[in-house]
């Protein structure tokens, strides 16, 4: 379809009580208006225009997208006025109006809505409401056809009793819309140019308004305050959880699962315990088990991996059969090869941990290349930073690093090397050799422990 989408986002959002423009508040980790933009994109519009007003500079800085067009509405004189401001940039034949604060609208609904539009025929999305307060009411004729929309503040008591509300989302041909907009007046209770008056203009000029009722209230709900923001957040998360369960995932509790990004693919027999948060783009293989309270960001988890409780995994790749946690932190550019094990209180950053290698306890590994079947003892630290620059630690296959070792980078531990516990390694350790820097133990016989209260 030859379509332009106009997204209204000029409002202030006073009730959010925030310095941030309303449409930049986040739902599922993404600005409200970005949800709408992403949905609109699926319709492949010729033009995608955002009408900004309050906080326009902030908006343009955050939603930095060269494919978007912007229209500036300096004074918010009403929804009709906002659309008017964007119209000069429309070259497509049809125009769809969306709202930057209505984030859960679906592609499917919009496809159905836009399909009904022809010259002289516009399409309007309405919603059945249990409490229609605040909404414009859809006035229908005896034959069910839509006649006009009356705003709450302009409505008669009989009109206020109507429970079918206007979502504000509508679609018309550009030429029709331009004509209706040109005829708008602000002679109403709010002194605004109402977009909704286009409905009546269409009917009066002999046109038809196709009224389509939205499938659910949440899909067309706008956000005005933090309470509504949270309500829609929970709707979104419940839907995300349900869609994962449909894909075969076992969730310990669908109410305690949060997705702030995208699970690009997920295998069979995956189980996710409570309070896990997934951010950015995450890929999960078959038969993966994720314990409670894990945060997984932009990462890939291989088949048969087990992630125990309280792990944070960011910009990392976890190979098949790896075992992580509890309480492990994988920082960006960590790559764990097949069957590697990272235990509790271990931090790994920008490092490769080879196949079958183990970093089991209380260790920091940064800027390192670790080979296969390496054992890194408890309390090992790669001293990768000299205060100015980061340096590399290399550890060959089958090396064994004794507990409480400091590896002062740049440094290389060769294949099969054994490092004695408590060493500070500053030079290359040869292959298949025991290297240690530990001071020799002395035993002082006859030495007496001080006794409490005894003077020297
Ligand atoms: C509007 C509709 C009402 C509908 C309701 C649904 C009109 C006249 N009324 O009312 O029928 O039931 O939405 O929520 O359209 N905006 C601008 N520039 C403006 C005015 C508004 O960009 O000059 C944007 C706002 O930022 C907001 C949206 O348009 O995102 C709706 O504006 P708002 O003032 O909230 O409309 P309502 O009075 O709720
Ligand atoms: Ca208003």
């Amino acid at each position: 379809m030859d379509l332009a989408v106009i997204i209204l986002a000029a409002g202030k959002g006073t009730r959010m009580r925030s310095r941030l423009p309303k449409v930049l508040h986040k739902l599922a980790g993404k600005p409200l208006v970005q949800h709408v933009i992403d949905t609109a994109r699926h319709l492949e519009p010729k033009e995608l225009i955002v009408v900004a007003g309050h906080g326009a500079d902030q908006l343009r800085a955050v939603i930095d997208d060269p494919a978007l067009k912007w229209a500036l509405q300096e004074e918010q004189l009403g929804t009709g006025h906002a659309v008017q401001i964007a119209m000069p940039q429309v070259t497509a034949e049809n125009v769809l109006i969306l709202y930057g604060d209505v984030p859960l609208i679906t592609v499917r609904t919009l496809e159905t809505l836009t399909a009904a539009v022809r010259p002289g025929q516009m399409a309007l999305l309405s919603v059945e409401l249990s409490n229609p307060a605040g909404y414009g009411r859809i006035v229908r004729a005896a034959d069910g056809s839509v006649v006009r929309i009356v705003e709450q503040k302009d409505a008669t008591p009989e009109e206020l009793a109507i429970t079918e509300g206007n979502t504000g989302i509508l679609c018309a041909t550009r030429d029709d819309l331009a004509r209706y907009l040109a005829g708008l007046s602000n002679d109403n209770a709010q002194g605004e140019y109402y977009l909704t008056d286009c409905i009546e203009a269409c009917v009066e000029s002999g046109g038809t308004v196709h009224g389509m009722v939205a499938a659910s209230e949440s899909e067309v709900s706008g956000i005005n305050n933090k309470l509504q923001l949270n309500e829609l957040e929970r709707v979104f998360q419940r839907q995300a959880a349900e869609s994962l369960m449909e894909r075969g995932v076992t969730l310990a509790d669908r109410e305690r699962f949060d997705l702030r990004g995208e699970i690009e693919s997920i295998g069979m027999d995956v189980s996710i315990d409570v309070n896990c948060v997934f951010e950015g783009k995450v890929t999960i293989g078959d038969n993966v088990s994720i314990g409670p309270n894990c945060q997984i960001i932009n990462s890939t988890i291989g088949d048969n991996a087990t992630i125990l409780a309280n792990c944070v995994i960011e910009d990392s790749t976890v190979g098949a059969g790896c075992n992580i946690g509890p309480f492990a932190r994988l920082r960006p550019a960590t790559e764990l090869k097949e069957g590697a094990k990272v235990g509790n209180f271990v931090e790994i950053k920008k490092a490769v941990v080879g196949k079958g290698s183990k970093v089991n306890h209380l260790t920091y590994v940064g800027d390192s290349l670790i080979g296969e079947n390496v054992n890194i003892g408890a309390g090992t630290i790669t001293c990768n930073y000299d205060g100015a620059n980061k340096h590399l630690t290399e550890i060959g296959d089958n090396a064994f690093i004794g507990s409480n070792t400091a590896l002062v980078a740049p440094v290389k531990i060769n294949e099969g090397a054994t490092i004695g516990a408590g060493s500070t390694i500053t030079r290359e350790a040869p292959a298949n050799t025991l290297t240690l820097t530990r001071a020799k133990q002395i035993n002082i016989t006859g030495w007496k422990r001080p006794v409490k209260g005894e003077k020297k």
Side-chain angles (χ1 to χ4, degrees), residues 176-425:
D176 284 347
L177 190 60
R179 208 160 8 95
Y180 306 148
L181 288 169
L184 292 185
S185 96
N186 63 353
D187 181 18
N188 52 51
Q190 301 186 79
E192 287 181 6
Y193 295 92
Y194 292 164
L195 177 64
T196 47
D197 285 348
C198 292
I199 305 298
E200 198 173 355
C202 172
V203 173
E204 279 178 353
S205 64
T208 312
V209 178
H210 299 282
M212 186 183 145
V213 185
S216 75
E217 207 175 316
S218 55
E219 185 186 352
V220 296
S221 290
I223 289 171
N224 294 305
N225 57 39
K226 296 288 170 74
L227 189 72
Q228 290 168 342
L229 178 63
N230 183 258
E231 275 164 6
L232 287 201
E233 174 79 30
R234 292 333 301 165
V235 169
F236 179 98
Q237 295 304 349
R238 208 167 303 129
Q239 285 171 357
E242 278 165 15
S243 118
L244 276 187
M245 291 186 285
E246 276 160 20
R247 287 156 83 180
V249 176
T250 303
L251 291 181
D253 184 354
R254 70 172 101 172
E255 302 291 334
R256 284 183 287 168
F257 162 84
D258 285 86
L259 178 61
R260 298 178 194 150
E262 220 180 307
I263 295 190
E264 291 195 307
S265 78
I266 192 159
M268 295 236 281
D269 299 308
V270 171
S271 69
I272 301 174
D273 213 327
V274 298
N275 297 330
C276 290
V277 180
F278 296 84
E279 298 180 33
K281 292 188 190 313
V282 174
T283 299
I284 299 172
D286 286 331
N287 202 34
V288 169
S289 163
I290 302 176
N293 310 318
C294 290
Q295 185 185 21
I296 301 181
I297 310 159
N298 287 320
S299 293
T300 298
I301 313 293
D303 296 343
N304 304 309
T306 301
I307 297 165
L308 300 172
N310 301 299
C311 291
V312 178
I313 299 176
E314 180 173 10
D315 293 329
S316 293
T317 304
V318 173
C322 286
N323 207 301
I324 301 170
F327 296 101
R329 180 176 182 203
L330 306 186
R331 290 171 52 201
T334 291
E335 188 183 346
L336 305 186
K337 302 284 195 192
E338 196 182 330
K341 189 171 181 318
V342 174
N344 36 210
F345 308 108
V346 171
E347 174 178 346
I348 303 197
K349 183 216 83 168
K350 200 176 176 188
V352 176
V353 177
K355 210 168 151 181
S357 290
K358 293 177 182 151
V359 191
N360 276 339
H361 336 261
L362 300 153
T363 286
Y364 173 62
V365 171
D367 301 287
S368 300
L369 296 173
I370 298 176
E372 298 183 2
N373 297 313
V374 170
N375 194 310
I376 308 267
T380 297
I381 305 290
T382 56
C383 309
N384 59 328
Y385 186 52
D386 59 14
N389 296 300
K390 302 277 169 66
H391 302 283
L392 183 69
T393 297
E394 288 177 88
I395 302 177
D397 296 346
N398 303 306
F400 182 100
I401 313 295
S403 295
N404 200 31
T405 292
L407 300 166
V408 182
V411 71
K412 184 168 183 184
I413 311 298
N414 286 288
E415 272 189 41
T418 301
I419 307 297
S423 295
T424 298
I425 302 297

Side-chain angles (χ1 to χ4, degrees), residues 2-321:
D2 190 31
L3 185 73
V5 177
I6 299 175
I7 300 174
L8 304 193
K12 190 171 180 186
T14 311
R15 283 172 284 168
M16 295 299 271
R17 298 188 181 279
S18 167
R19 287 186 184 89
L20 198 64
K22 175 163 79 173
V23 296
L24 287 183
H25 284 268
K26 286 180 179 172
L27 182 130
K30 187 162 89 174
L32 296 174
V33 68
Q34 191 68 56
H35 284 269
V36 184
I37 292 168
D38 292 348
T39 301
R41 278 267 148 68
H42 285 283
L43 303 170
E44 296 175 3
K46 195 165 167 193
E47 283 111 21
L48 187 45
I49 307 163
V50 179
V51 180
H54 281 282
D57 292 341
Q58 239 175 313
L59 205 61
R60 290 167 84 142
V62 176
I63 312 295
D64 180 21
D65 180 343
L68 278 184
K69 293 178 190 295
W70 294 89
L72 185 65
Q73 190 193 24
E74 294 192 50
E75 255 190 302
Q76 278 73 62
L77 303 179
T79 47
H81 177 251
V83 173
Q84 243 164 3
I85 279 178
M87 286 299 275
Q89 296 192 65
V90 173
T91 67
E93 265 173 61
N94 304 289
V95 183
L96 170 68
I97 312 297
L98 299 179
Y99 297 81
D101 57 358
V102 180
L104 299 187
I105 187 71
T106 65
V107 177
R108 220 159 140 220
T109 298
L110 296 178
E111 277 171 350
T112 316
L113 192 76
T114 52
V117 172
R118 313 264 179 288
Q121 303 185 34
M122 63 189 291
L124 173 72
L125 189 63
S126 70
V127 59
E128 254 326 305
L129 297 156
S130 43
N131 174 14
Y135 279 79
R137 308 298 207 279
I138 309 287
V139 181
R140 290 187 186 252
D143 66 355
S145 61
V146 175
V147 179
R148 65 191 183 98
I149 296 173
V150 59
E151 289 304 295
Q152 160 114 2
K153 288 181 180 155
D154 302 294
T156 64
E158 296 79 59
E159 288 166 339
L160 287 176
I162 298 170
T163 54
E164 186 182 7
N166 172 32
T167 68
I169 294 171
L170 56 82
C171 188
T173 69
R174 179 195 58 219
D175 294 345
D176 284 347
L177 190 60
R179 208 160 8 95
Y180 306 148
L181 288 169
L184 292 185
S185 96
N186 63 353
D187 181 18
N188 52 51
Q190 301 186 79
E192 287 181 6
Y193 295 92
Y194 292 164
L195 177 64
T196 47
D197 285 348
C198 292
I199 305 298
E200 198 173 355
C202 172
V203 173
E204 279 178 353
S205 64
T208 312
V209 178
H210 299 282
M212 186 183 145
V213 185
S216 75
E217 207 175 316
S218 55
E219 185 186 352
V220 296
S221 290
I223 289 171
N224 294 305
N225 57 39
K226 296 288 170 74
L227 189 72
Q228 290 168 342
L229 178 63
N230 183 258
E231 275 164 6
L232 287 201
E233 174 79 30
R234 292 333 301 165
V235 169
F236 179 98
Q237 295 304 349
R238 208 167 303 129
Q239 285 171 357
E242 278 165 15
S243 118
L244 276 187
M245 291 186 285
E246 276 160 20
R247 287 156 83 180
V249 176
T250 303
L251 291 181
D253 184 354
R254 70 172 101 172
E255 302 291 334
R256 284 183 287 168
F257 162 84
D258 285 86
L259 178 61
R260 298 178 194 150
E262 220 180 307
I263 295 190
E264 291 195 307
S265 78
I266 192 159
M268 295 236 281
D269 299 308
V270 171
S271 69
I272 301 174
D273 213 327
V274 298
N275 297 330
C276 290
V277 180
F278 296 84
E279 298 180 33
K281 292 188 190 313
V282 174
T283 299
I284 299 172
D286 286 331
N287 202 34
V288 169
S289 163
I290 302 176
N293 310 318
C294 290
Q295 185 185 21
I296 301 181
I297 310 159
N298 287 320
S299 293
T300 298
I301 313 293
D303 296 343
N304 304 309
T306 301
I307 297 165
L308 300 172
N310 301 299
C311 291
V312 178
I313 299 176
E314 180 173 10
D315 293 329
S316 293
T317 304
V318 173

